[in-house]
């Protein structure tokens, strides 16, 4: 089995300091959380940024400041900025980090309910995102919350509307309104992938570690972090993203799966440094 790539989704756009005081807003806090995750074994940081008061933003300058400061401290880490941003943002607003030419960025593969709100990713929007990723030579992490998202992405890739080549998907399971985080659902999605694609799975809330454990055993890659889950165990807040990554590493160690360094992750994902 390939080594395990651990992604840390350190902040997200929705969770707040009221829910867990360690959720990062400022640049210093973002770097602290990225480093804690990296030191614990994460090869990848999935990045959303906020203004200092916690408001989600896709501002290019804010992304640049966070990315540059993270890279000063942990130069080899892979940073995957979000182009999902927060519900309600426009496509142009969301696309701003692609102008920083990251090696990868997320590309969301369809509209879905997101709690009480709707996360909009129409096919025309996806075509615009695909065009930008192709022009700026960015490898997408295709985010799928539903089987229909995976099917749409595969069809649009075939038509050349989204980037092809070596494909990487992240299945996000357990968002209220989308696919429930069950192992049969995960297997259904994984079985629909092209055989040479790489994949990651993300379990939301209390499903974070059960989905991680199943994914580690199945040969996929995993995502943990505050974006998805704030608790290290039932009723106990995690002190840092590093604490969540360390738990994932312990599970991987028990299952005999080695952890990929950032450069090993680049090889697995087909990235050129
Ligand atoms: N914040 C969610 C509405 C992504 O990063 O691409 C979307 C999201 C997906 O987090
Ligand atoms: Zn995200």
């Amino acid at each position: 089995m390939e080594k395990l790539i651990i992604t840390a989704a350190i902040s997200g756009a929705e969770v707040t300091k009221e829910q867990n005081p360690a959720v990062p807003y400022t640049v210093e806090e973002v770097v602290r959380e990225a480093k804690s995750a990296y030191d614990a074994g994460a090869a990848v940081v999935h990045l959303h940024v906020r203004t200092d008061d916690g408001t989600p933003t896709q501002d290019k300058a804010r992304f640049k400041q966070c990315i540059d400061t993270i890279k000063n401290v942990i130069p080899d880490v892979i940073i995957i900025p979000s182009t999902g941003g927060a519900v309600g943002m426009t496509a142009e607003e969301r696309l701003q980090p692609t102008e920083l030419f990251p090696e990868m960025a997320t590309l969301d593969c369809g509209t879905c309910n997101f709690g009480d709100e709707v996360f909009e990713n129409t096919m025309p929007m996806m075509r615009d995102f695909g065009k930008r990723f192709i022009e700026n030579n960015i490898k997408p992490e295709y985010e799928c919350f539903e089987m229909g998202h995976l099917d749409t992405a595969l069809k649009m890739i075939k038509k050349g509307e989204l980037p092809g080549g070596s494909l990487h998907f992240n299945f996000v399971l357990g968002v209220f309104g989308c696919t429930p985080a069950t192992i049969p659902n995960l297997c259904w999605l994984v079985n629909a992938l092209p055989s040479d694609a790489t994949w990651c799975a993300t379990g939301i809330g209390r499903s974070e570690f059960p989905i991680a454990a199943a994914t580690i055993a199945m040969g996929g890659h995993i995502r943990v972090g505050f974006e998805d889950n704030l608790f290290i165990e039932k009723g106990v807040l995690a002190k840092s993203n590093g604490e969540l990554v360390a738990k994932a590493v312990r599970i991987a160690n028990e299952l005999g799966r080695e952890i990929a360094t950032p450069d090993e992750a680049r090889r697995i994902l087909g990235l050129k440094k």
Side-chain angles (χ1 to χ4, degrees):
M1 231 180 243
E2 282 284 14
K3 288 190 179 179
L4 174 70
I5 303 171
I6 302 178
T7 295
I10 60 173
S11 54
E14 290 83 21
V15 291
T16 65
K17 279 192 194 297
E18 285 69 43
Q19 296 168 290
N20 183 328
V23 170
Y25 296 166
T26 67
V27 177
E28 292 68 30
E29 289 167 349
V30 166
V31 174
R32 180 199 72 211
E33 287 306 308
K35 179 148 186 351
S36 81
Y38 172 90
D39 288 345
V44 178
V45 168
H46 167 57
L47 189 64
H48 289 252
V49 298
R50 316 282 188 101
T51 57
D52 285 352
D53 68 1
T55 308
T57 176
Q58 289 292 102
D59 181 59
K60 181 180 159 185
R62 184 65 163 190
F63 263 105
K64 180 164 174 21
Q65 202 186 4
C66 288
I67 291 171
D68 289 351
T69 319
I70 294 171
K71 288 277 184 182
N72 275 337
V73 178
I74 40 175
D76 62 335
V77 73
I78 299 169
I79 299 178
I80 302 188
S82 170
T83 69
V87 166
M89 289 177 171
T90 65
E92 265 318 305
E93 206 177 347
R94 284 168 50 183
L95 277 167
Q96 289 178 76
T98 61
E99 291 308 311
L100 299 169
F101 302 93
E103 52 192 324
M104 286 183 83
T106 63
L107 198 161
D108 292 276
C109 298
T111 297
C112 51
N113 286 321
F114 207 87
D116 285 354
E117 301 179 285
V118 174
F119 182 36
E120 197 183 343
N121 296 284
T122 63
M123 285 185 221
M125 278 172 75
M126 288 172 64
R127 272 182 212 110
D128 289 344
F129 278 56
K131 195 162 167 279
R132 180 74 63 86
F133 276 63
I134 291 167
E135 280 166 6
N136 290 8
N137 197 22
I138 302 166
K139 180 181 167 98
E141 179 177 68
Y142 288 112
E143 302 274 327
C144 298
F145 297 72
E146 301 283 1
M147 175 60 91
H149 295 182
L150 172 57
D151 188 57
T152 303
L154 292 173
K155 285 179 176 147
M156 291 179 76
I157 291 163
K158 207 167 174 188
K159 286 182 172 176
E161 295 175 330
L162 296 177
S166 72
L167 304 177
H168 183 66
F169 292 85
N170 177 33
F171 299 124
V172 184
L173 302 180
V175 170
F176 190 34
C178 302
T179 309
T182 67
I183 292 170
N185 285 345
L186 177 62
C187 293
W188 187 49
L189 289 159
V190 172
N191 285 335
L193 282 170
S195 58
D196 54 353
T198 54
W199 63 279
C200 171
T202 299
I204 301 297
R206 69 189 61 173
S207 73
E208 177 159 274
F209 290 104
I211 289 293
T215 300
I216 293 166
M218 287 165 70
H221 304 286
I222 61 166
R223 182 174 109 176
V224 296
F226 287 158
E227 177 165 346
D228 310 316
N229 164 47
L230 298 166
F231 293 88
I232 191 68
E233 60 184 78
K234 193 163 186 247
V236 182
L237 289 173
K239 291 188 186 67
S240 65
N241 278 277
E243 203 182 5
L244 296 170
V245 172
K247 180 165 173 170
V249 169
R250 287 199 298 278
I251 296 170
N253 285 341
E254 288 295 332
L255 295 175
R257 186 99 184 263
E258 289 179 80
I259 311 298
T261 64
D263 283 339
E264 288 167 341
R266 282 191 178 84
R267 185 192 51 73
I268 295 165
L269 294 168
L271 296 169
K272 293 173 269 308
K273 203 176 174 195

